Amino acid sequence: MRALRRVPLDILRGAQQRSPSGHVDRAVQCQLSEHRTGDHYGFLDDAEYATASWLRWSDSEAALVVLANCPVTSAGAPGESCCLFEEHSGRHTWEEEWPE
């Protein structure tokens, strides 16, 4: 099961101020391939200039980070981009199997 995290109120407000849509979910799920160690990353919203706002968290800490989008596209489906951030660990989003 992927890690879940409620977005701390101060981070939620900061993300809403940066958000073009003004909408940010109050809870996020880690978008990386399933892992037991290291930081988790939950998508908050797109930002400007090929970047996105993410909640990065570990067991005890959480932070709002703005990261460049992953530039890798799928060879099997031209034009399909990875929906994660640049230099993420694990697989690209089109390689993942997500439970229904």
Side-chain angles (χ1 to χ4, degrees), residues 13-49:
R13 288 183 181 143
Q16 288 171 331
Q17 290 174 348
R18 292 177 175 266
S19 169
S21 72
H23 174 77
V24 176
D25 289 333
R26 296 193 61 110
V28 293
Q29 179 176 343
C30 183
Q31 298 299 303
L32 300 179
S33 298
E34 195 166 330
H35 59 282
R36 300 208 185 276
T37 60
D39 290 338
H40 298 286
Y41 290 83
F43 177 78
L44 296 173
D45 198 7
D46 287 320
E48 296 181 357
Y49 309 111

Side-chain angles (χ1 to χ4, degrees), residues 55-76:
L55 178 68
R56 179 183 65 213
W57 77 93
S58 61
D59 292 334
S60 60
E61 297 181 25
L64 171 63
V65 294
V66 177
L67 302 170
N69 296 343
C70 180
V72 179
T73 57
S74 170

